[in-house]
Amino acid sequence: MNVLEQFKATPLTLSKLSAPFIETNPSESGHVPTDHLQSATRQPFASSNVYKTSILHYRVLAEGDDVKTVYETAIKLPPNMEEEYSPGDAIGLLTYNLASEVDYVLDRLHLLDSADQAYEVKLAKPVKKKNPELPHYVPKYVTPRRLLSECLDIRITPRKGLLQTMASYTADECEKRLLEILASKEGSNLYNELILKNEMNFLHVLKYVATCRPPLAMLIEHLPRLQARPYSIASYGRENHIRIAFAMLNDGQVGITTHMLESKLLHPGKWDKYLYMYLRQLKPVFNYREEDLDRNIIMIGPGTGVTPYVGFLEYRKQAKALNRKTKMGSAWLLTSCRYQDRNYLYESELKGFMQAGVLDRLHVASSRDEDSQYKYVQDIIEDKKEELVELLLDDSTKLYLCGEGRTMLPRIQDTIVTCMSKVKSMPKSEAADLLAEYKKTGKYLAMKRLKLFDTSCTSCSFEPSRISTMRSEILLEFEGKKLTLPAVPSKFILLNEVTDSISLPATHLQANVNQPFAATNVVEACVSNLITIAESEDVKTVHDVTLNYLHNTSHREEIREYLQTGLLDACYEAFSRDPDAQHKYVQGQMKEQSSKIIDNIENPQATFYVCGDSKILLPQITETVVDILAAAPNADDREAIMDLIGRLKKDGKYREDVWL
C-alpha cells in the first residue's frame, strides 16, 4: 500500500503557517553589491571582519589510487591580520552553492530568463506578521542567481514548516498531499523514515514534487543562511600568507567549498582567484600561544587533522630561532594516513621539525600498508600507553585532538580512557571523569571536524557545532527584539505522591499499551547472544543480536486454541531451565517422537520445517534427525541419510529458517 492510500482517510494535523512577509520585485535602478553578498554581514564565531583576499599558489599534498586528493593552498594575508591570529586558529571561507544546483532551482522557479536581473527584497505590504524583519545576510538588492548561490542553503534538510509551505505552491494534488502528510503530526514516522534517515535535502524534495513552484520570497523566508566553511590554518609566521589544506570528497559526492577551491586552483581562466575569509574562533580556544611553549603537548590528528599542528610546530621553531634559551616542553605528534607513499601529509615538514628539535616524538599509522606496525592512531596510543599516560597526567601537559568528530574522535578518546584505566589501575568511569575534567580546565582541547559542513547532502543529525552555529545565528537575528510568547495552556494533568502501598507494573510501562503499526501484542524477550559483525576505522559498528522470547502465556493460549480447533495436531515442548521438565531440549522430544519423524520424512505430502540458530541449534537438530533415521529398521548409512536430507532441502521438503 502506498503512502497516499495509507493516509487516504486520515485527517491531518498541520501547523498554522505564518503569513508571508517578504516580497521580491524586479528593480531597474537597484545596485547589487559586486563582492560576495555576505561579505558585509556579521559571521557566526567571527573574531574579525570579512576580508577579500586571493589565492597565491598551491601544491598537491596527496593523490593516487584509493586516497583522497589533498591540496595545500597559500592565501594572501590581509593587512593587520598577522597580529590577529595564533597557531591553531581557523578561518571561515564564504562559499557558493554549485552552479548546476542553482540553475536547477532557478529553472523550477521559472527564473532562468531573469536570473541576472536586479531584484529588490523588501517587507510585503500590508504587513501581516508582527515585527517582521528581513534576514540581515540578504542585501536589499540581489539577483536571483546570486541570492541562491551566495546567501541561501539549498542543501538543507527541509523542516516540516518548509514542506507545508511548499505544498501551498504545488499544483498536483497527489504531490501536494504527500508534502502535507510529511509536514503533519500523523506523518511524523514517514518524515523520519523518508527525509531524515535518507538524508534528503531541499533539492531532493524539489525533484520529487515536480509541480512545486515556490516563489523566490518564500525561499528567503524558509531557507537558512548559507554558512561559511571553517579551515584550520596550517602555518604560522609565513611572510604575507597563510596556508590551509583541504581534501576532496569521494564516492561521487561534491562539496561546495572544496569544489570552489579546486576550481580556482585548476581553472584560473574560468574562475577568479579571490576568496572572502575571516578569522573564526570557538570556545574553548584551540590554539597554541607563547604561554604554552614550556608545557608538554600531545598532538593527535589523523589525516587532515594534522594541519593545525603544523602551525604549532612552526611557531615553536620560530621561538627557538629567536631565543635558543627558550625553555620548551616535550612535543608528541600522532597522525595517520592510508598509505605512507601516497597520503602521508606534511611528511617532509614533520621530519624537519624532528631534526630542528621542536618535535620530540613522531608516530604515524597507515591503515592500508600491509607492513605497517600501526593501522590506526588508536594502535599507537595502545602501544605507547605507559609513556603516553604518564606524560598526560603531568600537570604541565596539554592534550590536543583534531579530526572527524562523529566516529573517529570518540574512538580515539575512548582508547585514551581505556589506556588511562589500564596503566593507573583505575575504573574506566573514573578515567573518563578525569579526562572530562581536563576538558573543563583546558588541559584537553578537541577540534571536531564534521562532514556536515561540506557534503553533498546535509546531515539530519544535529552535532554540537551545528547547534552552536544555529544558536549564534538566532541570537544575532533577535538581538534587541521584544518577544511575543503564546499563553501557557492551563494545567490538566496532576501528579500526586501516593503514600499507600501500591504495586507498580514489573514490566515496561508501555508493555500493555497498543503500539503504532503493531501486528502483535508486546512480548517480553531477552538478549541471548550478541556478536559484533563489523567494527573498524571509518565503518559503522554492527551487532548481530539474538532475542529469545521469555515465558509468555498469550502464545501458549494460542497454541492451545490451535490444538482445540484441529489446526495443530500435536505440540511437544522442552524447557531447558525448568528443573521439573521432562525434556530439556527439543532434541529429546524429537527422539521420543522418532516414529512420527520417520513416517513424515518418508511422506511425499509432508514438509519438515526447522527454525533457529544456524551455528549451534540447527546443526544439532540435523544431527538428531540423522540419528533417528539411522536407528530405523533397514536404515541406510549416515552418508546416504545426509544425501537424502540434501535432496529434501533441494525439493523444498526440508526447510530451514535460520539466524546467525
Side-chain angles (χ1 to χ4, degrees):
M1 182 171 64
N2 63 34
V3 172
L4 297 179
E5 284 294 323
Q6 181 181 346
F7 287 87
K8 185 175 182 179
T10 304
L12 300 180
T13 305
L14 295 168
S15 301
K16 183 180 179 181
L17 293 175
S18 58
F21 64 95
I22 294 176
E23 65 179 37
T24 58
N25 299 307
S27 173
E28 296 293 336
S29 58
H31 174 69
V32 180
T34 55
D35 289 330
H36 193 290
L37 294 182
Q38 290 199 54
S39 61
T41 64
R42 294 165 293 175
Q43 299 296 325
F45 311 114
S47 59
S48 75
N49 296 324
V50 176
Y51 299 105
K52 183 179 181 179
T53 184
S54 58
I55 295 173
L56 297 178
H57 52 81
Y58 77 95
R59 62 172 173 154
V60 178
L61 295 180
E63 64 179 344
D65 293 338
D66 198 29
V67 299
K68 293 179 180 179
T69 300
V70 181
Y71 297 97
E72 182 193 66
T73 305
I75 301 173
K76 185 178 180 180
L77 194 64
N80 303 322
M81 185 175 155
E82 185 174 355
E83 299 177 358
E84 296 182 23
Y85 83 96
S86 300
D89 280 347
I91 61 169
L93 287 180
L94 302 190
T95 190
Y96 302 82
N97 285 312
L98 297 184
S100 59
E101 295 177 350
V102 170
D103 284 346
Y104 175 77
V105 179
L106 290 170
D107 185 42
R108 289 295 303 274
L109 272 57
H110 293 187
L111 288 174
L112 272 178
D113 292 339
S114 59
D116 300 306
Q117 180 181 345
Y119 275 67
E120 182 182 6
V121 181
K122 60 182 181 180
L123 294 175
K125 292 184 179 180
V127 178
K128 297 180 181 180
K129 182 179 179 180
K130 192 171 183 179
N131 301 322
E133 281 192 10
L134 296 173
H136 68 88
Y137 49 85
V138 176
K140 182 177 181 180
Y141 295 103
V142 299
T143 67
R145 187 187 307 280
R146 292 190 60 196
L147 171 72
L148 294 172
S149 175
E150 301 170 31
C151 296
L152 304 180
D153 189 349
I154 59 177
R155 289 182 170 187
I156 192 68
T157 300
R159 292 181 291 182
K160 289 190 172 187
L162 173 57
L163 295 173
Q164 186 177 345
T165 306
M166 290 174 66
S168 304
Y169 300 98
T170 302
D172 183 84
E173 289 300 322
C174 291
E175 293 177 355
K176 181 176 182 178
R177 178 67 173 175
L178 174 61
L179 290 172
E180 289 176 340
I181 291 169
L182 289 169
S184 69
K185 178 181 178 182
E186 292 75 15
S188 293
N189 288 332
L190 181 64
Y191 176 83
N192 292 335
E193 291 293 327
L194 184 63
I195 303 296
L196 298 186
K197 287 190 177 180
N198 288 313
E199 297 187 343
M200 290 183 66
N201 62 31
F202 169 70
L203 292 172
H204 295 145
V205 175
L206 200 59
K207 290 177 181 179
Y208 274 115
V209 285
T211 63
C212 179
R213 185 187 164 192
L216 193 62
M218 188 277 276
L219 299 187
I220 299 175
E221 291 182 26
H222 288 272
L223 292 181
R225 177 185 200 165
L226 180 62
Q227 298 284 352
R229 271 41 174 180
Y231 290 90
S232 294
I233 299 174
S235 61
Y236 185 78
R238 299 293 184 104
E239 186 177 358
N240 299 326
H241 74 272
I242 59 172
R243 301 187 180 202
I244 63 170
F246 65 94
M248 301 304 296
L249 300 178
N250 50 19
D251 300 327
Q253 293 184 325
V254 180
I256 60 175
T257 312
T258 53
H259 171 76
M260 173 192 75
L261 289 170
E262 186 183 49
S263 299
K264 287 177 180 288
L265 300 182
L266 303 184
H267 308 290
K270 295 182 179 180
W271 290 70
D272 64 54
K273 61 181 179 180
Y274 296 111
L275 295 174
Y276 295 86
M277 57 168 275
Y278 62 93
L279 273 179
R280 190 175 186 274
Q281 200 169 79
L282 295 174
K283 301 290 183 180
V285 177
F286 187 95
N287 60 22
Y288 186 73
R289 299 174 182 268
E290 184 177 358
E291 57 266 28
D292 296 317
L293 284 172
D294 62 348
R295 303 189 66 168
N296 304 318
I297 54 173
I298 301 170
M299 301 168 285
I300 303 176
T304 54
V306 74
T307 53
Y309 305 134
V310 176
F312 285 24
L313 296 168
E314 286 190 350
Y315 181 71
R316 285 169 64 92
K317 186 176 180 179
Q318 288 184 28
K320 187 174 182 179
L322 290 173
N323 185 359
R324 292 188 174 275
K325 295 183 180 180
T326 299
K327 182 182 177 182
M328 289 191 183
S330 177
W332 283 44
L333 175 60
L334 282 60
T335 186
S336 67
C337 56
R338 284 192 172 185
Y339 305 95
Q340 292 209 22
D341 63 341
R342 269 175 262 175
N343 68 329
Y344 179 2
L345 303 184
Y346 294 106
E347 178 181 7
S348 60
E349 286 87 345
L350 297 180
K351 291 179 178 178
F353 293 135
M354 289 283 290
Q355 293 173 357
V358 294
L359 179 61
D360 300 287
R361 299 284 288 272
L362 173 62
H363 298 285
V364 183
S366 50
S367 60
R368 303 292 174 89
D369 284 331
E370 293 182 0
D371 58 348
S372 175
Q373 181 182 1
Y374 306 114
K375 294 295 183 183
Y376 306 108
V377 165
Q378 297 94 304
D379 299 331
I380 304 173
I381 297 171
E382 174 64 33
D383 186 52
K384 307 293 181 184
K385 58 179 176 290
E386 285 80 9
E387 292 178 89
L388 202 64
V389 169
E390 291 298 335
L391 183 63
L392 176 59
L393 296 180
D394 190 307
D395 291 339
S396 64
T397 298
K398 289 182 74 171
L399 170 65
Y400 294 88
L401 189 53
C402 178
E404 190 273 316
R406 291 186 184 172
T407 56
M408 189 179 295
L409 291 199
R411 289 173 182 168
I412 294 173
Q413 182 172 294
D414 184 68
T415 302
I416 294 172
V417 168
T418 301
C419 290
M420 291 170 66
S421 174
K422 290 179 180 178
V423 173
K424 290 302 176 181
S425 300
M426 65 172 73
K428 192 172 179 180
S429 59
E430 186 177 327
D433 291 342
L434 183 58
L435 196 63
E437 182 63 26
Y438 287 168
K439 205 167 189 177
K440 287 182 181 179
T441 60
K443 180 181 172 71
Y444 165 38
L445 297 170
M447 180 187 288
K448 295 183 178 181
R449 297 184 165 190
L450 303 175
K451 293 181 180 179
L452 168 71
F453 283 114
D454 214 16
T455 57
S456 60
C457 184
T458 304
S459 172
C460 60
S461 59
F462 281 77
E463 298 289 344
S465 67
R466 177 61 173 163
I467 295 173
S468 298
T469 301
M470 293 172 63
R471 179 178 60 194
S472 175
E473 282 290 286
I474 292 169
L475 291 176
L476 285 172
E477 185 174 346
F478 288 89
E479 185 177 2
K481 290 185 181 179
K482 293 183 178 180
L483 301 180
T484 303
L485 299 175
V488 178
S490 302
K491 297 178 181 178
F492 63 96
I493 295 177
L494 293 177
L495 290 175
N496 295 321
E497 183 179 357
V498 178
T499 56
D500 298 331
S501 176
I502 187 170
S503 176
L504 293 174
T507 58
H508 193 288
L509 295 182
Q510 290 197 48
N512 295 315
V513 179
N514 290 333
Q515 300 298 323
F517 309 108
T520 68
N521 295 329
V522 176
V523 297
E524 194 174 1
C526 67
V527 176
S528 65
N529 193 27
L530 186 147
I531 302 172
T532 301
I533 58 177
E535 183 179 31
S536 184
E537 186 81 13
D538 203 29
V539 300
K540 294 180 179 179
T541 300
V542 180
H543 298 296
D544 184 293
V545 180
T546 302
L547 296 177
N548 283 349
Y549 287 120
L550 298 180
H551 180 68
N552 187 281
T553 56
S554 63
H555 283 70
R556 300 190 73 183
E557 289 171 358
E558 291 171 2
I559 290 172
R560 291 193 188 101
E561 182 180 348
Y562 297 151
L563 288 168
Q564 292 171 359
T565 58
L567 293 174
L568 184 65
D569 296 304
C571 176
Y572 306 99
E573 297 172 322
F575 304 97
S576 62
R577 301 299 172 88
D578 281 356
D580 300 327
Q582 181 181 358
H583 295 286
K584 298 292 185 183
Y585 303 104
V586 171
Q587 296 93 310
Q589 283 283 20
M590 291 172 64
K591 290 179 180 178
E592 186 167 300
Q593 307 299 328
S594 59
S595 61
K596 295 180 180 179
I597 290 177
I598 293 171
D599 292 340
N600 283 290
I601 281 286
E602 296 177 349
N603 183 352
Q605 303 300 319
T607 303
F608 197 89
Y609 291 90
V610 185
C611 178
D613 163 45
S614 65
K615 290 189 175 181
I616 300 174
L617 183 60
L618 262 63
Q620 291 178 351
I621 290 177
T622 302
E623 186 70 15
T624 303
V625 172
V626 173
D627 290 342
I628 291 171
L629 296 179
N634 303 318
D636 294 325
D637 58 36
R638 298 181 70 87
E639 185 175 349
I641 294 171
M642 289 299 297
D643 290 339
L644 170 65
I645 293 176
R647 291 195 302 273
L648 292 173
K649 287 182 179 180
K650 186 176 180 180
D651 295 335
K653 309 299 291 180
Y654 188 112
R655 301 184 181 184
E656 294 177 322
D657 185 7
V658 304
W659 59 76
L660 300 176

